[in-house]
Amino acid sequence: MAIRRILTVDNAADLAVLKKKSVPVETVTDEHRALMDDMLETMYAAPGIGLAAVQVGEPLRIIVMDLARDGEDRAPRYFVNPEIIEKNDNLAPYEEGCLSVPEIYETVERPDQVHIRYLDYNGHQVDEAADGLYAVCIQHEMDHLEGVLFIDHLSRLKRDRAITKVKKAARAA
Ligand code: K1U
Ligand code: ZN
C-alpha cells in the first residue's frame, strides 16, 4: 500500500485532471483493489472521510469512504461505478470540505437522502439507501467523478475567493 499525492486546485495541471469525467471500470480486478487500498491509506493519512480516484490522478469511477467517528473501529467502504437510482426532493445544508481544496469549508445544499447502486471491493452489486453524512459524502464524491468540485456549487465570487485562498496558502507553504 502507498500514500499517493492528492491533486489540488491551486495547480493548473492538477485542476485539468480534477475537471475530467472519470471512466467506468469494466471488471473489478486486483489492480483496482490495489488502487482502492492506496486511496484508503491516502485518505486516512490526509485525514479525510472520502476520496475519489481522480483526486490521486486516476480518472476511474472509484470512491473510498470511512465515516467511523473518533474512537470507533475503522469502517472502510468501497464504491465502483456508483449510480444514484433515486434522490429525495428535500435539500439539506452541510458545511463541506475537500482534500483537493484544502482548508476551505463552505455550505452546500444537497438532497438529504439518495438510493445508490455500486460494485463493492469484490465486484458484487450493492443497492443501498444513504442519508445524513453518508448522503452528503457520496454525492460530493460522485460529483468528483463528473469533474465537479463542491466549490462549483457556490457563487462565482465565493468560488474565485476559495481558489485564491488555496493558491495563497500554497505559495506561503
Ligand atoms: O476531498 C474529498 O472529497 C474528501 C472530503 C469529503 C467530504 C467532507 C465533508 C463533506 C463532504 C465530503 C473530506 O474528507 S474533507 C476533510 C473532512 O471532512 C474531515 C477530515 C478529518 C476528520 C473529519 C472530517
Ligand atoms: Zn472532494
Side-chain angles (χ1 to χ4, degrees):
M1 285 211 285
I3 294 177
R4 311 262 195 121
R5 186 178 73 84
I6 296 176
L7 279 49
T8 55
V9 295
D10 53 284
N11 175 308
D14 285 4
L15 184 58
V17 177
L18 287 167
K19 298 308 278 179
K20 278 190 181 180
K21 185 171 165 143
S22 295
V23 299
V25 168
E26 266 190 34
T27 313
V28 182
T29 64
D30 285 345
E31 222 175 299
H32 297 116
R33 281 184 274 274
L35 171 61
M36 290 191 266
D37 293 345
D38 282 1
M39 287 169 61
L40 202 68
E41 195 179 353
T42 304
M43 185 196 80
Y44 286 135
I49 56 173
L51 196 69
V54 68
Q55 293 180 273
V56 293
E58 304 276 359
L60 291 169
R61 299 185 84 80
I62 295 177
I63 290 166
V64 296
M65 194 185 295
D66 190 333
L67 302 178
R69 293 162 194 268
D70 279 349
E72 287 180 355
D73 288 346
R74 282 183 171 180
R77 305 176 195 219
Y78 308 89
F79 306 84
V80 178
N81 299 342
E83 295 170 73
I84 293 183
I85 303 302
E86 215 178 298
K87 51 182 156 188
N88 201 328
D89 289 336
N90 288 345
L91 298 182
Y94 192 87
E95 193 170 75
E96 300 190 12
C98 181
L99 300 172
S100 295
V101 193
E103 310 299 329
I104 304 293
Y105 293 88
E106 292 284 354
T107 301
V108 176
E109 287 197 335
R110 300 184 188 271
D112 67 355
Q113 194 172 44
V114 290
H115 196 109
I116 54 171
R117 178 170 297 160
Y118 58 93
L119 302 178
D120 67 13
Y121 192 81
N122 295 308
H124 298 132
Q125 187 177 297
V126 180
D127 276 34
E128 215 162 60
D131 58 16
L133 183 55
Y134 186 17
V136 172
C137 197
I138 194 67
Q139 290 178 84
H140 173 116
E141 299 308 331
M142 286 181 69
D143 268 357
H144 276 299
L145 308 187
E146 301 302 320
V148 174
L149 298 164
F150 84 106
I151 53 172
D152 295 328
H153 292 282
L154 308 177
S155 66
R156 174 183 280 256
L157 181 69
K158 279 192 172 175
R159 185 172 65 242
D160 290 349
R161 274 190 188 155
I163 292 179
T164 303
K165 216 168 157 184
V166 176
K167 281 184 178 164
K168 266 192 190 162
R171 274 200 301 270

